[in-house]
Amino acid sequence: MRSIAAVSLALAFSGSVSAHGYLKYVDHKGIAYGLWEPFSDPYYNPLPLRYDRTIADNGPVVGMQSSNITCNNGGNNPANVGVIEVAAGDTLKLVWDQWGSSHSGPVMTYMAKCTPNCASFKGDTGSPWFKIDEFGYDATKNPPWGSDYLARQGAWWRVTIPPTIASGEYLLRHEILGLHVAHELNGAQFYPSCVHLKVTGTGSDSPSGVALPGAYDPNDKDGILISLYQINQGEKVYTAPGGPVWSKAAAPLQTTATATGSVYTATSLAPSVRGATTATTSATTAATTASTSRTTTLVTSTRTTTAASSTTTSRTTTPVTTTTSRTTTPATTTSRTTTGSTGGTVGAWGQCGGIGYTGATGCVSGYTCKVLNDYYSQCTPA
Ligand SMILES: *[C@@H]1O[C@H](CO)[C@@H](O)[C@H](O)[C@H]1NC(C)=O
């Protein structure tokens, strides 16, 4: 029973911080590479094959001077991670599980060459990183903050692998910085993910120069210790941390004046089973297989997660000491549970439903509550 209780706790917890998010897929040429699912993957044995480093939960890295800033709170373990093969100059779509519009801030993407390869490289010492893309605050855009633009276009972002970088393995570090409580020291909330890439091509550039940790200063009054309000009012110019985008990076892809897009649906999934030799399968088939035929085994784990909103609390999940078998039921596209709804009205682009969500479910005039995924429904223009 303790095992089941632990799972319920994990699920309840995931709902309680559902304003946060994590990177869920990298889409390369129509193939979705699944990334670490912090609320379900730890319970599988064997662990699924994922293409990024483990993250502890969907909450932020709070405090930017520890090595947790490098690749999120998850241990930055480089071993046993899948590698996505791409060519220099290729475009990637970086898909979040969700992103709430209350968490405004910049969207930044960095890379670092893995020396000698990504299976052993941590990137948390020296200055191996270089920035390949950034969208901070741009008053000519609607919405003007990068993360709000990301949310509005469907919780995804597109970047180009710099065309002239040397071939080899790289970490791609994609990050949202939530600034909604950044007026407090260490209130800035960082949401990084590190994806493993193998870049092919004939380029010879080897940029670097950014240290993570190191580049982010808690007292940076242009990018980190700031008031969203002042910037929104045009009283202050915003400069994202981490220095400028590398001069030979490709042009940004989020260029339309008004963010448009639609929620991403994976059509072909890359292998998610260790040792699998099969090519890609249809997402529907793969998802059904994953959720119906898999009997999972709970594994012993101790995790400390940080709930972040304006206040920060710490919670420790006790180790599961018994091993239980359970069969998960298939996820369907129609069952979504919003528990303990209070009725009421949510503003434009606010959350209005989803598993574990307990807030208001109505939308302001002109908006309707649209299901984005099982965990997130959003008030979108009617
Ligand atoms: C890094 O993250 C882990 C997991 O959330 C946490 O236990 C640890 O205290 C963090 N380390 C620092 C220095 O903040």
Side-chain angles (χ1 to χ4, degrees):
M1 288 311 288
R2 281 183 72 196
S3 311
I4 300 304
V7 172
S8 306
L9 179 64
L11 292 174
F13 186 60
S14 76
S16 71
V17 290
S18 59
H20 306 310
Y22 57 91
L23 200 61
K24 186 177 175 68
Y25 295 114
V26 171
D27 183 294
H28 177 242
K29 299 192 167 176
I31 298 175
Y33 292 81
L35 308 182
W36 182 255
E37 297 280 355
F39 299 114
S40 53
D41 283 354
Y43 304 104
Y44 286 102
N45 185 7
L47 296 174
L49 176 63
R50 299 303 188 200
Y51 296 84
D52 67 335
R53 294 190 178 171
T54 304
I55 57 173
D57 53 51
N58 64 356
V61 178
V62 175
M64 59 213 79
Q65 291 170 303
S66 88
S67 56
N68 279 351
I69 198 66
T70 312
C71 290
N72 210 326
N73 310 320
N76 191 11
N77 183 0
N80 297 317
V81 178
V83 179
I84 307 172
E85 187 165 326
V86 303
D90 280 357
T91 293
L92 302 178
K93 190 176 235 184
L94 306 169
V95 184
W96 290 70
D97 71 317
Q98 62 166 44
W99 193 255
S101 55
S102 62
H103 287 26
S104 299
V107 177
M108 300 177 281
T109 307
Y110 300 82
M111 290 177 73
K113 186 98 183 271
C114 294
T115 311
N117 53 48
C118 290
S120 59
F121 174 78
K122 298 195 76 163
D124 57 358
T125 57
S127 304
W129 299 93
F130 56 102
K131 196 185 269 181
I132 66 162
D133 183 72
E134 163 185 301
F135 186 140
Y137 183 86
D138 179 349
T140 70
K141 296 287 201 300
N142 178 22
W145 282 106
S147 67
D148 295 338
Y149 195 103
L150 177 149
R152 184 84 64 91
Q153 69 180 355
W156 48 258
W157 201 255
R158 291 171 68 232
V159 296
T160 302
I161 303 300
T164 62
I165 57 172
S167 61
E169 289 193 358
Y170 288 82
L171 289 182
L172 179 91
R173 181 182 177 282
H174 179 64
E175 172 179 55
I176 291 175
L177 166 52
L179 295 170
H180 44 298
V181 283
H183 54 281
E184 297 171 9
L185 188 63
N186 284 315
Q189 299 187 345
F190 298 86
Y191 297 81
S193 284
C194 289
V195 176
H196 288 202
L197 299 182
K198 180 181 179 188
V199 178
T200 61
T202 56
S204 56
D205 284 333
S206 298
S208 65
V210 179
L212 291 165
Y216 294 168
D217 173 1
N219 290 298
D220 170 3
K221 294 192 171 53
D222 297 316
I224 291 177
L225 184 61
I226 60 98
S227 151
L228 270 185
Y229 178 81
Q230 279 194 316
I231 293 156
N232 292 340
Q233 295 303 306
E235 294 167 12
K236 188 169 166 49
V237 172
Y238 182 73
T239 305
V245 173
W246 179 45
S247 59
K248 293 172 79 172
L253 295 173
Q254 276 65 216
T255 54
T256 58
T258 299
T260 54
S262 58
V263 174
Y264 175 84
T265 306
T267 51
S268 295
L269 285 179
S272 62
V273 177
R274 290 180 185 283
T277 52
T278 53
T280 59
T281 51
S282 114
T284 313
T285 310
T288 306
T289 305
S291 53
T292 57
S293 67
R294 178 121 61 147
T295 299
T296 57
T297 305
L298 290 169
V299 294
T300 301
S301 66
T302 306
R303 296 196 298 148
T304 304
T305 48
T306 305
S309 58
S310 49
T311 60
T312 303
T313 54
S314 186
R315 167 204 292 269
T316 302
T317 307
T318 51
V320 175
T321 51
T322 56
T323 305
T324 328
S325 226
R326 78 197 163 102
T327 304
T328 50
T329 49
T332 70
T333 52
T334 50
S335 76
R336 268 125 192 157
T337 313
T338 300
T339 49
S341 159
T342 58
T345 302
V346 179
W349 307 109
Q351 185 175 4
C352 52
I355 294 170
Y357 173 74
T358 57
T361 52
C363 294
V364 293
S365 173
Y367 287 75
T368 55
C369 189
K370 185 177 166 195
V371 173
L372 299 191
N373 59 47
D374 288 351
Y375 291 93
Y376 203 75
S377 300
Q378 189 177 46
C379 290
T380 53

mmCIF file of all heavy atoms in Angstrom, residues 208-243:
data_model
loop_
_atom_site.group_PDB
_atom_site.id
_atom_site.type_symbol
_atom_site.label_atom_id
_atom_site.label_comp_id
_atom_site.label_asym_id
_atom_site.label_seq_id
_atom_site.Cartn_x
_atom_site.Cartn_y
_atom_site.Cartn_z
ATOM 1 N N SER A 208 32.613 28.669 -27.516
ATOM 2 C CA SER A 208 32.432 28.380 -26.092
ATOM 3 C C SER A 208 32.508 29.733 -25.381
ATOM 4 O O SER A 208 32.455 30.771 -26.027
ATOM 5 C CB SER A 208 33.514 27.426 -25.589
ATOM 6 O OG SER A 208 34.786 28.047 -25.669
ATOM 7 N N GLY A 209 32.616 29.722 -24.084
ATOM 8 C CA GLY A 209 32.839 30.979 -23.367
ATOM 9 C C GLY A 209 31.855 31.271 -22.251
ATOM 10 O O GLY A 209 32.056 32.198 -21.477
ATOM 11 N N VAL A 210 30.787 30.485 -22.162
ATOM 12 C CA VAL A 210 29.782 30.740 -21.124
ATOM 13 C C VAL A 210 29.878 29.632 -20.072
ATOM 14 O O VAL A 210 29.871 28.444 -20.418
ATOM 15 C CB VAL A 210 28.360 30.783 -21.724
ATOM 16 C CG1 VAL A 210 27.321 31.018 -20.632
ATOM 17 C CG2 VAL A 210 28.271 31.853 -22.809
ATOM 18 N N ALA A 211 29.942 30.030 -18.810
ATOM 19 C CA ALA A 211 30.012 29.074 -17.704
ATOM 20 C C ALA A 211 28.646 28.938 -17.054
ATOM 21 O O ALA A 211 27.981 29.927 -16.755
ATOM 22 C CB ALA A 211 31.022 29.563 -16.662
ATOM 23 N N LEU A 212 28.237 27.694 -16.834
ATOM 24 C CA LEU A 212 26.966 27.424 -16.136
ATOM 25 C C LEU A 212 27.213 26.282 -15.157
ATOM 26 O O LEU A 212 27.278 25.134 -15.602
ATOM 27 C CB LEU A 212 25.868 27.051 -17.149
ATOM 28 C CG LEU A 212 25.414 28.181 -18.062
ATOM 29 C CD1 LEU A 212 24.620 27.658 -19.234
ATOM 30 C CD2 LEU A 212 24.586 29.188 -17.278
ATOM 31 N N PRO A 213 27.385 26.531 -13.861
ATOM 32 C CA PRO A 213 27.176 27.816 -13.201
ATOM 33 C C PRO A 213 28.306 28.810 -13.477
ATOM 34 O O PRO A 213 29.399 28.404 -13.839
ATOM 35 C CB PRO A 213 27.149 27.433 -11.718
ATOM 36 C CG PRO A 213 27.979 26.179 -11.641
ATOM 37 C CD PRO A 213 27.713 25.455 -12.929
ATOM 38 N N GLY A 214 27.991 30.073 -13.276
ATOM 39 C CA GLY A 214 28.971 31.139 -13.438
ATOM 40 C C GLY A 214 28.394 32.350 -14.142
ATOM 41 O O GLY A 214 28.549 33.483 -13.682
ATOM 42 N N ALA A 215 27.699 32.105 -15.250
ATOM 43 C CA ALA A 215 27.214 33.230 -16.050
ATOM 44 C C ALA A 215 26.008 33.936 -15.421
ATOM 45 O O ALA A 215 25.719 35.080 -15.770
ATOM 46 C CB ALA A 215 26.850 32.742 -17.442
ATOM 47 N N TYR A 216 25.322 33.245 -14.534
ATOM 48 C CA TYR A 216 24.114 33.845 -13.954
ATOM 49 C C TYR A 216 24.432 34.399 -12.575
ATOM 50 O O TYR A 216 24.849 33.665 -11.681
ATOM 51 C CB TYR A 216 22.991 32.800 -13.846
ATOM 52 C CG TYR A 216 22.461 32.295 -15.165
ATOM 53 C CD1 TYR A 216 21.632 31.176 -15.220
ATOM 54 C CD2 TYR A 216 22.762 32.935 -16.371
ATOM 55 C CE1 TYR A 216 21.123 30.700 -16.420
ATOM 56 C CE2 TYR A 216 22.262 32.468 -17.573
ATOM 57 C CZ TYR A 216 21.442 31.354 -17.597
ATOM 58 O OH TYR A 216 20.944 30.894 -18.791
ATOM 59 N N ASP A 217 24.195 35.694 -12.395
ATOM 60 C CA ASP A 217 24.518 36.397 -11.162
ATOM 61 C C ASP A 217 23.212 36.795 -10.467
ATOM 62 O O ASP A 217 22.396 37.510 -11.053
ATOM 63 C CB ASP A 217 25.346 37.645 -11.529
ATOM 64 C CG ASP A 217 25.604 38.561 -10.341
ATOM 65 O OD1 ASP A 217 25.164 38.241 -9.210
ATOM 66 O OD2 ASP A 217 26.231 39.610 -10.563
ATOM 67 N N PRO A 218 22.999 36.351 -9.235
ATOM 68 C CA PRO A 218 21.747 36.671 -8.533
ATOM 69 C C PRO A 218 21.488 38.171 -8.424
ATOM 70 O O PRO A 218 20.346 38.589 -8.276
ATOM 71 C CB PRO A 218 21.946 36.061 -7.141
ATOM 72 C CG PRO A 218 23.050 35.078 -7.282
ATOM 73 C CD PRO A 218 23.902 35.518 -8.433
ATOM 74 N N ASN A 219 22.546 38.983 -8.522
ATOM 75 C CA ASN A 219 22.383 40.442 -8.407
ATOM 76 C C ASN A 219 22.355 41.150 -9.756
ATOM 77 O O ASN A 219 22.451 42.372 -9.804
ATOM 78 C CB ASN A 219 23.517 41.009 -7.542
ATOM 79 C CG ASN A 219 23.347 40.582 -6.091
ATOM 80 O OD1 ASN A 219 22.358 40.918 -5.451
ATOM 81 N ND2 ASN A 219 24.289 39.792 -5.594
ATOM 82 N N ASP A 220 22.207 40.401 -10.830
ATOM 83 C CA ASP A 220 22.143 40.992 -12.179
ATOM 84 C C ASP A 220 20.834 41.782 -12.327
ATOM 85 O O ASP A 220 19.764 41.195 -12.511
ATOM 86 C CB ASP A 220 22.235 39.849 -13.199
ATOM 87 C CG ASP A 220 21.933 40.287 -14.625
ATOM 88 O OD1 ASP A 220 21.708 41.498 -14.867
ATOM 89 O OD2 ASP A 220 21.896 39.399 -15.494
ATOM 90 N N LYS A 221 20.944 43.096 -12.253
ATOM 91 C CA LYS A 221 19.732 43.933 -12.250
ATOM 92 C C LYS A 221 19.196 44.228 -13.654
ATOM 93 O O LYS A 221 18.217 44.954 -13.816
ATOM 94 C CB LYS A 221 19.996 45.225 -11.486
ATOM 95 C CG LYS A 221 20.236 44.953 -9.999
ATOM 96 C CD LYS A 221 20.202 46.217 -9.165
ATOM 97 C CE LYS A 221 20.211 45.909 -7.672
ATOM 98 N NZ LYS A 221 21.330 45.023 -7.260
ATOM 99 N N ASP A 222 19.822 43.655 -14.666
ATOM 100 C CA ASP A 222 19.296 43.796 -16.031
ATOM 101 C C ASP A 222 18.534 42.550 -16.484
ATOM 102 O O ASP A 222 17.700 42.638 -17.380
ATOM 103 C CB ASP A 222 20.447 44.035 -17.015
ATOM 104 C CG ASP A 222 21.167 45.339 -16.726
ATOM 105 O OD1 ASP A 222 20.477 46.339 -16.477
ATOM 106 O OD2 ASP A 222 22.407 45.324 -16.726
ATOM 107 N N GLY A 223 18.834 41.402 -15.854
ATOM 108 C CA GLY A 223 18.244 40.173 -16.393
ATOM 109 C C GLY A 223 17.664 39.224 -15.359
ATOM 110 O O GLY A 223 16.860 38.357 -15.702
ATOM 111 N N ILE A 224 18.090 39.345 -14.093
ATOM 112 C CA ILE A 224 17.716 38.319 -13.107
ATOM 113 C C ILE A 224 17.012 38.887 -11.875
ATOM 114 O O ILE A 224 15.992 38.359 -11.453
ATOM 115 C CB ILE A 224 18.977 37.508 -12.704
ATOM 116 C CG1 ILE A 224 19.418 36.659 -13.909
ATOM 117 C CG2 ILE A 224 18.719 36.635 -11.477
ATOM 118 C CD1 ILE A 224 20.684 35.864 -13.703
ATOM 119 N N LEU A 225 17.566 39.961 -11.305
ATOM 120 C CA LEU A 225 16.922 40.586 -10.135
ATOM 121 C C LEU A 225 16.141 41.789 -10.649
ATOM 122 O O LEU A 225 16.587 42.927 -10.588
ATOM 123 C CB LEU A 225 17.992 40.996 -9.116
ATOM 124 C CG LEU A 225 17.502 41.572 -7.785
ATOM 125 C CD1 LEU A 225 16.640 40.573 -7.024
ATOM 126 C CD2 LEU A 225 18.693 42.011 -6.927
ATOM 127 N N ILE A 226 14.964 41.512 -11.187
ATOM 128 C CA ILE A 226 14.223 42.562 -11.900
ATOM 129 C C ILE A 226 12.736 42.482 -11.547
ATOM 130 O O ILE A 226 12.260 41.490 -11.019
ATOM 131 C CB ILE A 226 14.395 42.453 -13.436
ATOM 132 C CG1 ILE A 226 13.885 41.094 -13.949
ATOM 133 C CG2 ILE A 226 15.837 42.632 -13.846
ATOM 134 C CD1 ILE A 226 12.513 41.118 -14.504
ATOM 135 N N SER A 227 12.033 43.538 -11.877
ATOM 136 C CA SER A 227 10.584 43.565 -11.696
ATOM 137 C C SER A 227 9.921 43.466 -13.067
ATOM 138 O O SER A 227 10.130 44.319 -13.932
ATOM 139 C CB SER A 227 10.188 44.868 -11.003
ATOM 140 O OG SER A 227 8.887 45.232 -11.390
ATOM 141 N N LEU A 228 9.150 42.422 -13.253
ATOM 142 C CA LEU A 228 8.416 42.264 -14.517
ATOM 143 C C LEU A 228 7.608 43.512 -14.830
ATOM 144 O O LEU A 228 7.537 43.963 -15.965
ATOM 145 C CB LEU A 228 7.412 41.104 -14.403
ATOM 146 C CG LEU A 228 7.806 39.691 -14.772
ATOM 147 C CD1 LEU A 228 6.584 38.802 -14.687
ATOM 148 C CD2 LEU A 228 8.401 39.636 -16.171
ATOM 149 N N TYR A 229 7.007 44.057 -13.777
ATOM 150 C CA TYR A 229 6.116 45.201 -13.950
ATOM 151 C C TYR A 229 6.846 46.369 -14.605
ATOM 152 O O TYR A 229 6.340 46.987 -15.545
ATOM 153 C CB TYR A 229 5.549 45.602 -12.580
ATOM 154 C CG TYR A 229 4.663 46.804 -12.636
ATOM 155 C CD1 TYR A 229 3.324 46.688 -13.026
ATOM 156 C CD2 TYR A 229 5.140 48.076 -12.304
ATOM 157 C CE1 TYR A 229 2.499 47.794 -13.088
ATOM 158 C CE2 TYR A 229 4.318 49.189 -12.362
ATOM 159 C CZ TYR A 229 3.003 49.048 -12.752
ATOM 160 O OH TYR A 229 2.198 50.146 -12.832
ATOM 161 N N GLN A 230 8.058 46.658 -14.092
ATOM 162 C CA GLN A 230 8.816 47.792 -14.640
ATOM 163 C C GLN A 230 9.104 47.600 -16.120
ATOM 164 O O GLN A 230 9.041 48.545 -16.907
ATOM 165 C CB GLN A 230 10.152 47.922 -13.907
ATOM 166 C CG GLN A 230 10.043 48.636 -12.575
ATOM 167 C CD GLN A 230 11.429 49.033 -12.086
ATOM 168 O OE1 GLN A 230 12.359 48.214 -12.162
ATOM 169 N NE2 GLN A 230 11.561 50.249 -11.620
ATOM 170 N N ILE A 231 9.425 46.374 -16.479
ATOM 171 C CA ILE A 231 9.741 46.115 -17.884
ATOM 172 C C ILE A 231 8.467 46.183 -18.729
ATOM 173 O O ILE A 231 8.430 46.800 -19.788
ATOM 174 C CB ILE A 231 10.465 44.764 -18.018
ATOM 175 C CG1 ILE A 231 11.832 44.905 -17.346
ATOM 176 C CG2 ILE A 231 10.624 44.360 -19.469
ATOM 177 C CD1 ILE A 231 12.433 43.645 -16.868
ATOM 178 N N ASN A 232 7.397 45.590 -18.218
ATOM 179 C CA ASN A 232 6.123 45.631 -18.946
ATOM 180 C C ASN A 232 5.642 47.063 -19.157
ATOM 181 O O ASN A 232 4.979 47.363 -20.153
ATOM 182 C CB ASN A 232 5.057 44.842 -18.189
ATOM 183 C CG ASN A 232 5.340 43.346 -18.176
ATOM 184 O OD1 ASN A 232 6.100 42.852 -19.003
ATOM 185 N ND2 ASN A 232 4.738 42.630 -17.242
ATOM 186 N N GLN A 233 5.965 47.933 -18.204
ATOM 187 C CA GLN A 233 5.546 49.330 -18.309
ATOM 188 C C GLN A 233 6.487 50.157 -19.176
ATOM 189 O O GLN A 233 6.277 51.350 -19.360
ATOM 190 C CB GLN A 233 5.502 49.974 -16.906
ATOM 191 C CG GLN A 233 4.461 49.395 -15.981
ATOM 192 C CD GLN A 233 3.074 49.468 -16.560
ATOM 193 O OE1 GLN A 233 2.606 50.539 -16.962
ATOM 194 N NE2 GLN A 233 2.406 48.334 -16.666
ATOM 195 N N GLY A 234 7.555 49.536 -19.651
ATOM 196 C CA GLY A 234 8.507 50.279 -20.466
ATOM 197 C C GLY A 234 9.418 51.184 -19.651
ATOM 198 O O GLY A 234 10.067 52.082 -20.187
ATOM 199 N N GLU A 235 9.494 50.929 -18.338
ATOM 200 C CA GLU A 235 10.343 51.770 -17.486
ATOM 201 C C GLU A 235 11.779 51.280 -17.476
ATOM 202 O O GLU A 235 12.668 51.963 -16.977
ATOM 203 C CB GLU A 235 9.804 51.749 -16.039
ATOM 204 C CG GLU A 235 8.451 52.404 -15.888
ATOM 205 C CD GLU A 235 7.807 52.103 -14.535
ATOM 206 O OE1 GLU A 235 8.498 51.577 -13.638
ATOM 207 O OE2 GLU A 235 6.598 52.381 -14.402
ATOM 208 N N LYS A 236 11.983 50.098 -17.997
ATOM 209 C CA LYS A 236 13.322 49.516 -17.930
ATOM 210 C C LYS A 236 13.517 48.591 -19.121
ATOM 211 O O LYS A 236 12.578 47.933 -19.567
ATOM 212 C CB LYS A 236 13.448 48.727 -16.625
ATOM 213 C CG LYS A 236 14.831 48.231 -16.325
ATOM 214 C CD LYS A 236 14.918 47.697 -14.911
ATOM 215 C CE LYS A 236 16.197 46.896 -14.716
ATOM 216 N NZ LYS A 236 17.401 47.554 -15.170
ATOM 217 N N VAL A 237 14.751 48.569 -19.634
ATOM 218 C CA VAL A 237 15.079 47.678 -20.741
ATOM 219 C C VAL A 237 15.522 46.333 -20.165
ATOM 220 O O VAL A 237 16.261 46.296 -19.192
ATOM 221 C CB VAL A 237 16.212 48.285 -21.597
ATOM 222 C CG1 VAL A 237 16.709 47.276 -22.635
ATOM 223 C CG2 VAL A 237 15.727 49.560 -22.274
ATOM 224 N N TYR A 238 15.044 45.244 -20.745
ATOM 225 C CA TYR A 238 15.420 43.922 -20.249
ATOM 226 C C TYR A 238 16.568 43.340 -21.082
ATOM 227 O O TYR A 238 16.528 43.389 -22.318
ATOM 228 C CB TYR A 238 14.226 42.952 -20.312
ATOM 229 C CG TYR A 238 14.603 41.600 -19.756
ATOM 230 C CD1 TYR A 238 14.763 41.430 -18.387
ATOM 231 C CD2 TYR A 238 14.861 40.526 -20.598
ATOM 232 C CE1 TYR A 238 15.171 40.217 -17.861
ATOM 233 C CE2 TYR A 238 15.265 39.310 -20.080
ATOM 234 C CZ TYR A 238 15.421 39.156 -18.714
ATOM 235 O OH TYR A 238 15.837 37.958 -18.199
ATOM 236 N N THR A 239 17.561 42.801 -20.398
ATOM 237 C CA THR A 239 18.662 42.092 -21.065
ATOM 238 C C THR A 239 18.784 40.710 -20.461
ATOM 239 O O THR A 239 19.070 40.562 -19.271
ATOM 240 C CB THR A 239 20.005 42.840 -20.878
ATOM 241 O OG1 THR A 239 19.845 44.180 -21.332
ATOM 242 C CG2 THR A 239 21.110 42.162 -21.670
ATOM 243 N N ALA A 240 18.533 39.690 -21.252
ATOM 244 C CA ALA A 240 18.590 38.312 -20.758
ATOM 245 C C ALA A 240 20.008 37.982 -20.298
ATOM 246 O O ALA A 240 20.982 38.478 -20.865
ATOM 247 C CB ALA A 240 18.147 37.334 -21.838
ATOM 248 N N PRO A 241 20.134 37.141 -19.258
ATOM 249 C CA PRO A 241 21.470 36.778 -18.783
ATOM 250 C C PRO A 241 22.154 35.787 -19.727
ATOM 251 O O PRO A 241 21.536 35.274 -20.652
ATOM 252 C CB PRO A 241 21.171 36.117 -17.430
ATOM 253 C CG PRO A 241 19.809 35.524 -17.605
ATOM 254 C CD PRO A 241 19.068 36.484 -18.508
ATOM 255 N N GLY A 242 23.439 35.540 -19.461
ATOM 256 C CA GLY A 242 24.167 34.537 -20.242
ATOM 257 C C GLY A 242 24.903 35.113 -21.436
ATOM 258 O O GLY A 242 25.469 34.360 -22.229
ATOM 259 N N GLY A 243 24.891 36.442 -21.571
ATOM 260 C CA GLY A 243 25.619 37.078 -22.666
ATOM 261 C C GLY A 243 24.876 36.998 -23.977
ATOM 262 O O GLY A 243 23.787 36.433 -24.064
#
